[in-house]
């Protein structure tokens, strides 16, 4: 059911829900892949993003998102200035990312602790997005719900173990997807919830022995 | 109990329960999302505030859009209309405000998508011009926003509000229908008069294609917001005069959806047809790529 505030709304920085608001959201999700302060960020723009990014402010929006801004933040216009002030190196590239949605971007980040992060996603219209890869592993989610992404060792019982934590906290799982590269190696769960997720719940999930790391997205 | 997806259902709810149109829309939102009337009212009030701010900021004469094609047109019309105009004060004031919001949008200003960013000028243009010129209260204007929201919800439920899916008729057409209904409400029209205004307004823009120059939300979008604003006022006046659409609003919405499906994808936001492939547009496109 559509809310009247999706009709008279969303409130956003223009000019385009797909090229500006959605781009901000992708940047904002991407920054959560990093475990430390971002030092260098490279954006690889595909298709319509590559062709019209300057005129839509897609570059400022993506960068604003990486800096933690949301789609209604008027500082997006000056995000390059804020990046400079924070000492973040920024580069935009046009790229052919293959047979993907026309508004796709690949975001590659280097962090202060020496680690790297990657996120690929598309802005699919109306400010909505679809993430298709994190750290070069195929994964899928929309960011419409509070979302937990795990990296864990692919062993029997892990899904039950983690989902029981949700049950204990009375948090309903709206969608649950499991991804892996190969049997017995590292795998990922994407868990989208109907209720807010608390810090203590995240800590509990992170303390499950098979869990290598978790990431939380709430935009 | 208060849920509707069709105009005839909304009319029936208003009729059976003796409700005013905005109250029926608020009740459906309360019921669906479990929010209080106050909470919903205050959120709409705050969105009106953002609309007012975007009109004010968009009237500044030295605005320049990031694509470089628009900015300053709202200021031009606003200063011209102070010394008389052919079309009259209210229409031109509403159009100037609609231009202002779209130009501010193109400068990466904060706007309320209503229903989309590309068609964000029409509803605030009309509401704020009518509020000033006819001295409607803030409360009346917020009620009119709920009327517009109800109309938009019907279109979203049965057709589309996306230019990429249905062309500009789904964006500026929908916004014009929403604005026409809200203007008819402010003008004292009852629920069916509001629906007639929406039907006539959307009918007038059926078939409108989405052909943005260089893919930017600038040309022809900004001025199409302007003409769609004038369309909305004229249609509200017709409905208030007692003129019927003949085709009911629900059927016009269905027709809009079918037309969108028949439209070549070249004419649905891809910048491969219409204004976007004129020699002038192509020459400009080359300069920014």
């Amino acid at each position: 059911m559509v809310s009247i505030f999706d009709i008279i709304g969303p409130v956003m920085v223009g000019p385009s829900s797909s090229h500006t608001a959605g781009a901000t959201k992708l940047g904002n999700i991407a920054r959560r892949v990093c475990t430390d302060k971002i030092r260098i960020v490279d954006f690889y723009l595909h298709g319509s993003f590559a062709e019209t990014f300057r005129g839509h402010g897609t570059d400022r929006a993506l960068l604003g998102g990486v800096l933690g801004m949301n789609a209604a933040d008027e500082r997006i216009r000056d995000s390059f200035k804020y990046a400079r002030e924070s000492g973040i190196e920024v580069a935009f590239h046009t790229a052919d990312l293959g047979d993907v949605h026309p508004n796709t971007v690949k975001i590659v980040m280097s962090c202060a602790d020496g680690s790297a992060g990657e996120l690929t996603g598309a802005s699919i219209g109306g400010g909505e997005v679809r993430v298709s890869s994190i750290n070069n592993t195929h994964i899928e989610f929309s960011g419409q719900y509070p979302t937990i992404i795990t990296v864990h060792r692919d062993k029997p019982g892990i899904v039950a173990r983690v989902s029981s934590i949700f049950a204990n906290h009375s948090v309903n799982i709206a969608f649950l997807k499991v991804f892996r590269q190969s049997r017995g190696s590292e795998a990922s769960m994407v868990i989208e919830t109907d209720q807010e997720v608390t810090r203590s719940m995240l800590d509990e999930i992170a303390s499950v022995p098979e869990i290598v790391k978790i990431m939380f997205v709430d935009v | 109990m208060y849920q509707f997806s069709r105009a005839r259902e909304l009319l029936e709810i208003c009729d059976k329960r003796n409700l005013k149109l905005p109250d029926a829309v608020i009740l459906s939102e309360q019921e669906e999302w479990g929010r209080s009337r106050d909470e919903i009212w205050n959120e709409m009030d705050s969105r009106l505030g953002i609309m007012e701010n975007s009109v004010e900021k968009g009237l500044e004469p030295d605005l320049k859009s990031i694509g470089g094609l628009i900015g300053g047109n709202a200021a031009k019309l606003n200063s011209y209309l102070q010394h008389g105009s052919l079309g009259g004060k209210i229409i031109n004031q509403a159009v100037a405000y609609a231009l202002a919001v779209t130009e501010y949008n193109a400068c990466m200003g904060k706007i309320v998508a209503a229903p989309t960013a590309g068609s964000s000028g029409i509803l605030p243009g009309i509401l704020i011009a009518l509020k000033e010129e006819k001295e409607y209260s803030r409360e009346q204007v917020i009620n009119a926003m709920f009327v517009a929201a109800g109309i938009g919800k019907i279109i979203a439920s049965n057709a589309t509000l996306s230019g990429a899916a249905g062309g500009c008729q789904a964006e500026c057409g929908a916004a014009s229908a929403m604005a026409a209904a809200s203007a008819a409400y402010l003008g004292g029209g009852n629920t069916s008069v509001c629906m007639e205004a929406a039907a006539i307004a959307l009918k007038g823009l059926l078939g409108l294609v989405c052909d943005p120059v260089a893919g930017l939300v600038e040309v022809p979008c900004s001025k199409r917001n302007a003409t769609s604003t004038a369309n909305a006022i004229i249609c509200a006046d017709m409905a208030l005069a007692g003129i019927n659409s003949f085709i009911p609003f629900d059927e016009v919405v269905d027709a809009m959806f079918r037309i969108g499906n028949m439209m070549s994808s070249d004419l649905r936001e891809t910048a491969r047809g219409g204004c976007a492939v004129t020699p002038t547009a192509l020459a400009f496109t080359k300069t920014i790529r």
Side-chain angles (χ1 to χ4, degrees):
Chain A
M1 198 40 126
V2 55
S3 163
I4 54 173
F5 295 109
D6 296 326
I7 306 289
I8 312 287
V11 175
M12 55 170 276
V13 165
S16 159
S17 56
S18 55
H19 286 70
T20 319
T24 309
K25 195 167 177 181
L26 283 169
N28 203 324
I29 296 174
R31 77 192 171 93
R32 294 150 203 262
V33 175
C34 291
T35 46
D36 199 3
K37 275 193 177 155
I38 297 165
R39 285 282 159 248
I40 304 168
V41 54
D42 283 276
F43 297 94
Y44 297 87
L45 304 167
H46 172 92
S48 170
F49 262 13
E51 283 174 20
T52 65
F53 73 94
R54 276 192 203 92
H56 280 126
T58 307
D59 47 354
R60 306 183 212 200
L62 285 164
L63 181 57
V66 166
L67 295 172
M69 298 174 197
N70 66 34
D73 195 324
E74 293 197 275
R75 294 175 304 161
I76 288 173
R77 216 178 322 185
D78 303 314
S79 61
F80 280 91
K81 189 189 86 181
Y82 291 104
R84 260 197 314 278
E85 284 171 9
S86 317
I88 300 176
E89 261 179 65
V90 184
F92 286 85
H93 317 270
T94 60
D96 182 354
L97 299 175
D99 186 18
V100 293
H101 188 283
N103 291 335
T104 296
V105 60
K106 177 177 175 148
I107 305 173
V108 179
M109 297 155 288
S110 301
C111 312
D113 63 2
S115 68
E118 180 268 352
L119 178 139
T120 301
S123 177
I124 58 172
E128 300 301 333
V129 304
R130 196 171 56 216
V131 174
S132 57
S133 145
I134 286 180
N135 293 336
N136 301 305
T137 303
H138 171 70
I139 212 169
E140 266 171 36
F141 66 97
S142 68
Q144 276 177 303
Y145 303 86
T147 305
I148 294 161
I149 299 129
T150 69
V151 176
H152 62 267
R153 282 183 285 279
D154 186 24
K155 286 188 179 162
I158 177 82
V159 174
R161 190 86 188 269
V162 170
S163 58
S164 71
I165 298 174
F166 284 78
N168 292 341
H169 287 263
S170 302
V171 172
N172 188 48
I173 296 176
F175 301 98
L176 168 70
K177 281 169 269 180
V178 183
F179 301 86
R180 71 171 181 199
Q181 300 285 59
S182 62
R183 189 169 168 175
S185 67
E186 272 190 355
S188 281
M189 260 183 281
V190 174
I191 307 158
E192 300 176 275
T193 69
D194 282 329
Q195 284 88 19
E196 293 304 310
V197 174
T198 60
R199 189 69 246 172
S200 72
M201 211 179 132
L202 293 175
D203 290 342
E204 216 175 307
I205 298 167
S207 69
V208 172
E210 289 82 5
I211 298 277
V212 178
K213 62 178 177 186
I214 65 168
M215 180 185 141
F216 179 56
V217 175
D218 193 5
V219 286
Chain B
M1 259 172 30
Y2 298 103
Q3 297 311 307
F4 62 90
S5 67
R6 289 289 187 177
R8 63 177 143 72
E9 293 165 355
L10 185 52
L11 276 163
E12 202 181 290
I13 291 167
C14 291
D15 199 37
K16 265 199 187 148
R17 300 174 187 272
N18 200 21
L19 287 169
K20 292 225 163 75
L21 187 45
D23 293 321
V25 174
I26 294 170
L27 281 165
S28 80
E29 187 77 4
Q30 280 182 257
E31 185 182 64
E32 177 66 21
W33 300 94
R35 303 178 74 185
S36 72
R37 182 184 165 94
D38 279 356
E39 212 181 326
I40 292 167
W41 183 272
N42 292 339
E43 179 146 2
M44 199 59 101
D45 190 349
S46 112
R47 292 194 179 193
L48 176 57
I50 295 163
M51 285 180 171
E52 289 170 324
N53 180 63
S54 60
V55 163
E56 197 190 313
K57 296 275 175 60
L59 284 173
E60 283 168 18
D62 53 355
L63 279 186
K64 196 76 200 161
S65 66
I66 45 171
L69 290 173
I70 56 172
N73 291 332
K76 275 184 198 161
L77 187 61
N78 196 50
S79 97
Y80 160 83
L81 71 89
Q82 308 303 330
H83 314 286
S85 60
L86 302 176
K89 183 79 195 288
I90 291 184
I91 287 189
N92 278 292
Q93 193 68 69
V95 168
Y97 290 167
L99 287 172
V101 176
T102 58
E103 292 186 311
Y104 190 54
N105 178 58
C107 297
M108 299 195 87
K110 182 159 83 176
I111 54 93
V112 180
T116 62
S119 60
S120 58
I122 298 160
L123 186 63
I126 282 185
L127 292 177
I128 295 165
L130 285 176
K131 183 171 182 284
E132 287 174 3
E133 299 298 322
K134 293 283 198 182
E135 297 179 356
Y136 293 120
S137 69
R138 190 170 188 88
E139 190 187 343
Q140 284 174 296
V141 172
I142 293 167
N143 272 319
M145 291 172 78
F146 286 109
V147 171
I151 295 295
K153 195 169 159 176
I154 292 164
I155 303 172
S157 307
N158 298 285
T160 173
L161 296 173
S162 151
C168 193
Q169 56 166 3
E171 296 206 19
C172 284
S176 192
M178 289 160 60
S182 68
Y185 170 82
L186 287 172
N190 64 21
T191 302
S192 63
V193 169
C194 293
M195 297 301 177
E196 293 300 324
I200 302 170
L202 182 56
K203 233 168 42 180
L205 296 174
L206 285 180
L208 194 61
V209 302
C210 178
D211 50 355
V213 170
L216 306 176
V217 193
E218 302 197 6
V219 175
C221 319
S222 177
K223 293 182 198 86
R224 262 192 202 146
N225 271 258
T227 50
S228 303
T229 300
N231 178 62
I233 299 185
I234 292 160
C235 296
D237 269 330
M238 279 196 270
L240 286 165
I243 298 174
N244 286 333
S245 160
F246 186 67
I247 314 289
F249 181 61
D250 285 331
E251 293 182 30
V252 180
V253 171
D254 291 343
M256 185 272 269
F257 189 50
R258 283 195 301 269
I259 292 167
N261 290 338
M262 291 161 82
M263 219 179 251
S264 157
S265 72
D266 289 354
L267 299 170
R268 287 187 277 121
E269 218 179 288
T270 51
R272 293 197 305 250
C275 287
V277 294
T278 56
T280 302
L282 292 174
F284 167 76
T285 306
K286 259 192 195 156
T287 66
I288 62 158
R289 292 276 156 87

